[in-house]
Amino acid sequence: NLRFCSNFDRDKWSSAAHDNSMMVEALEESDGDRLGKILRAHLIQKGDNVIEFVRAAARDTGRRPCA
């Protein structure tokens, strides 16, 4: 399941956790412009992760892409 694959990659997990902290800060400060920038960057990165996951699955080397 793609949703949980990033949990096994320390760098991806740390990046997502940082993004989420920054989103909360922007919400607390009612800074919609900042929140929008953070969300856009986060979703672009997530899209890149999806592409990486799909490519790994297409190569299917006999192991699951998340393994």
Side-chain angles (χ1 to χ4, degrees):
N1 181 320
L2 174 60
R3 169 66 182 87
F4 298 102
C5 287
S6 293
N7 295 359
F8 298 107
D9 183 313
R10 184 178 302 269
D11 291 335
K12 289 179 184 176
W13 180 258
S14 294
S15 177
H18 175 73
D19 289 352
N20 279 272
S21 294
M22 300 297 285
M23 288 179 215
V24 169
E25 286 179 16
L27 283 167
E28 289 175 341
E29 296 168 6
S30 298
D31 191 340
D33 290 335
R34 182 172 167 225
L35 177 61
K37 290 175 184 175
I38 296 164
L39 282 169
R40 275 189 290 281
H42 180 78
L43 292 175
I44 288 168
Q45 181 60 51
K46 183 52 69 179
D48 291 344
N49 292 343
V50 169
I51 292 167
E52 177 184 327
F53 179 87
V54 171
R55 287 182 177 154
R59 287 192 299 269
D60 191 33
T61 60
R63 64 181 178 86
R64 293 174 44 201
C66 293

